[in-house]
Amino acid sequence: MAAQRITVNASSGPYTVHVERGALGQAGVLLDGLQEPASRLFLLSSPRVWRHWGKALAAGLKGAAQARAILFNDAEAGKNLRTVEQIARTLAQSGADRKSVIVAAGGGVVGDVAGFVAASYARGIRVVHVPTTLVAQVDSAIGGKTGVNLPEGKNLVGAFHQPSLVIVDPQLLRTLPPREFRSGLYEVIKYGIIGDEKLFATLEQGMVSLVNQEAGALEHVIQRCVEAKARIVSEDEREAGLRMILNFGHTTAHALESTTRYRRFLHGEAVGWGMIAAIRLSVAMKLVEPEAAKRMEALIGAAGKLPRLPAVSRARFLEAMRTDKKAEHGRIRFVLTEGVGRTRMASDVPEDLVAQALSSLRTGGRVNRR
Ligand SMILES: NC(=O)c1ccc[n+]([C@@H]2O[C@H](COP(=O)([O-])OP(=O)(O)OC[C@H]3O[C@@H](n4cnc5c(N)ncnc54)[C@H](O)[C@@H]3O)[C@@H](O)[C@H]2O)c1
Ligand SMILES: [Zn+2]
């Protein structure tokens, strides 16, 4: 695969997402390309990721600035302010200064924590992301959203802090547990539905190869998704408008995750169900043709079987949707589809239709068109 350099235009300046099989081996060379050299490198990662890729990363960085590894637990339960404090104190004790650069090697948890540390340490130092999950490669490492959880809710403390560079090496996905990989595929499918016909058709034709992690198909699709994310966040860094389309499927997903206390679903799996709900709502609202909806649902189905839905009362579920970060004045907001590549925001969806769409997920049935 030819190396791809995709540019993200941020208010803090442009940065490159370098996508290439084997890119990890060139991490040092890529870091040398930073506008200002790093005084020191701090490699933030988790013991699990480090076990698989620590040596290769250290080798790839050979010749770059002096590096020190700081490992922390990347369970979602560890994505909190205590972890941020521990890392920041280790940085301070190790003499990190304003010219130091954090290299975050891991999934979305490592990236979100490391990104937030970088946003706040010494009022902001540079971060380079080396995403190691499919979710992180196509989504979380790009766009500058960082943050941690509070007991009161997910991602409630955070900041926008754009990376200086993102190094995407699809080879790193080889060691990812299969369920984690498949969970990432649902976010990939999301790009297909909100993106364009071409990406959608590529996914329709290539889903089997993707599920089997065939290198060529995977690399091609990662590049397309990175391009899509780069385009969207370049246009709308702070989620004032366009960037909201990335929340397709997420209103229901977040409610599914919170009502099951984040235990039943991996995020992408909840997004899989959430997209089906959004598609059915779009049909019920007569926004999308049933034929197009069927194609979208078939694509989601092709990624594999989703975990069973929980037995949660309709009232509790709707309440969880109302407290979603996207809700405004207690009105549930949805990103709906008008067809591949065409989305529409809606905060005027009648709750009985929402309830119908949700129960249709359980029965596999359809929602009546209004
Ligand atoms: N900032 C954003 O824009 C954004 C976007 C999406 C998700 N997120 C956040 O990302 C988090 C989820 O991230 P994720 O889905 O990447 O999963 P994750 O970071 O939770 O990682 C999943 C598991 O895979 C392991 N792992 C990671 N890379 C591996 C590899 N190459 N080989 C073997 N094991 C590996 C991890 O140790 C972990 O156990 C959530 O906290 C979510 O809120 C943030
Ligand atoms: Zn998501």
Side-chain angles (χ1 to χ4, degrees):
M1 154 182 122
Q4 291 276 321
R5 285 176 199 81
I6 297 152
T7 303
V8 181
N9 291 307
S11 52
S12 51
Y15 59 92
T16 301
V17 185
H18 187 104
V19 188
E20 187 179 14
R21 159 172 288 267
L24 191 66
Q26 307 164 46
V29 178
L30 293 169
L31 270 143
D32 277 344
L34 290 180
Q35 261 189 2
E36 243 187 293
S39 60
R40 291 186 58 191
L41 299 177
F42 291 89
L43 316 182
L44 266 54
S45 190
S46 75
R48 175 177 295 179
V49 172
W50 194 257
R51 198 173 340 115
H52 290 296
W53 297 104
K55 247 194 204 149
L57 176 60
L61 285 171
K62 223 169 67 204
Q66 185 197 353
R68 153 149 202 207
I70 302 172
L71 306 185
F72 60 96
N73 173 10
D74 65 356
E76 185 70 33
K79 185 175 149 179
N80 57 35
L81 286 168
R82 190 157 0 112
T83 305
V84 170
E85 181 182 7
Q86 275 165 2
I87 296 168
R89 291 186 61 187
T90 308
L91 288 175
Q93 288 156 15
S94 316
D97 62 24
R98 291 221 161 123
K99 298 277 155 67
S100 298
V101 170
I102 287 177
V103 178
V109 170
V110 167
D112 280 10
V113 170
F116 186 60
V117 170
S120 44
Y121 185 80
R123 296 206 182 82
I125 62 174
R126 288 169 293 170
V127 62
V128 170
H129 286 299
V130 182
T132 65
T133 64
L134 184 53
V135 167
Q137 296 197 342
V138 300
D139 190 4
S140 60
I142 307 153
K145 279 192 186 178
T146 75
V148 295
N149 306 328
L150 293 180
E152 286 72 18
K154 223 173 115 79
N155 298 331
L156 275 183
V157 176
F160 280 99
H161 186 63
Q162 301 294 338
S164 301
L165 167 73
V166 184
I167 301 172
V168 175
D169 184 347
Q171 271 195 124
L172 305 194
L173 305 182
R174 252 186 10 224
T175 55
L176 198 59
R179 188 177 166 198
E180 292 286 349
F181 179 81
R182 241 182 326 112
S183 170
L185 281 182
Y186 295 103
E187 296 277 7
V188 166
I189 291 170
K190 179 188 80 181
Y191 284 111
I193 295 175
I194 65 173
D196 55 54
E197 269 292 344
K198 208 167 148 212
L199 178 55
F200 189 85
T202 304
L203 293 175
E204 271 185 325
Q205 285 150 23
M207 193 44 75
V208 176
S209 322
L210 275 182
V211 170
N212 294 328
Q213 297 200 37
E214 283 172 26
L218 183 59
E219 285 158 26
H220 175 74
V221 161
I222 289 174
Q223 281 178 2
R224 292 287 92 81
C225 293
V226 169
E227 278 165 5
K229 175 109 192 210
R231 197 171 344 108
I232 292 166
V233 300
S234 292
E235 202 165 307
D236 177 21
E237 188 173 342
R238 297 275 169 143
E239 200 167 304
L242 177 69
R243 189 166 178 170
M244 277 188 243
I245 70 174
L246 293 170
N247 290 323
F248 182 66
H250 282 59
T251 304
T252 302
H254 289 153
L256 277 174
E257 290 180 283
S258 68
T259 53
T260 54
R261 299 210 196 90
Y262 301 91
R263 285 188 193 138
R264 182 180 299 219
F265 300 99
L266 295 179
H267 173 68
E269 295 169 340
V271 172
W273 276 122
M275 290 191 293
I276 299 175
I279 292 164
R280 295 205 179 160
L281 263 182
S282 307
V283 172
M285 302 273 290
K286 291 200 171 140
L287 294 175
V288 67
E289 288 304 319
E291 272 313 302
K294 225 163 108 186
R295 266 179 79 195
M296 296 175 192
E297 283 201 28
L299 187 58
I300 298 166
K305 204 164 154 31
L306 290 163
R308 243 174 354 98
L309 289 165
V312 174
S313 76
R314 163 181 167 162
R316 207 175 131 223
F317 205 83
L318 290 173
E319 188 46 38
M321 285 179 150
R322 275 186 222 106
T323 51
D324 187 69
K325 273 211 294 289
K326 284 184 293 305
E328 271 180 354
H329 312 297
R331 282 168 73 171
I332 306 170
R333 294 234 276 175
F334 284 95
V335 183
L336 298 177
T337 177
E338 298 180 330
V340 171
R342 282 174 291 141
T343 48
R344 139 122 56 128
M345 300 296 300
S347 50
D348 55 351
V349 183
E351 281 198 2
D352 63 318
L353 275 194
V354 178
Q356 257 194 62
L358 293 172
S359 51
S360 86
L361 297 182
R362 214 176 291 281
T363 58
R366 305 213 163 277
V367 188
N368 294 327
R369 301 244 277 165
R370 285 228 150 166

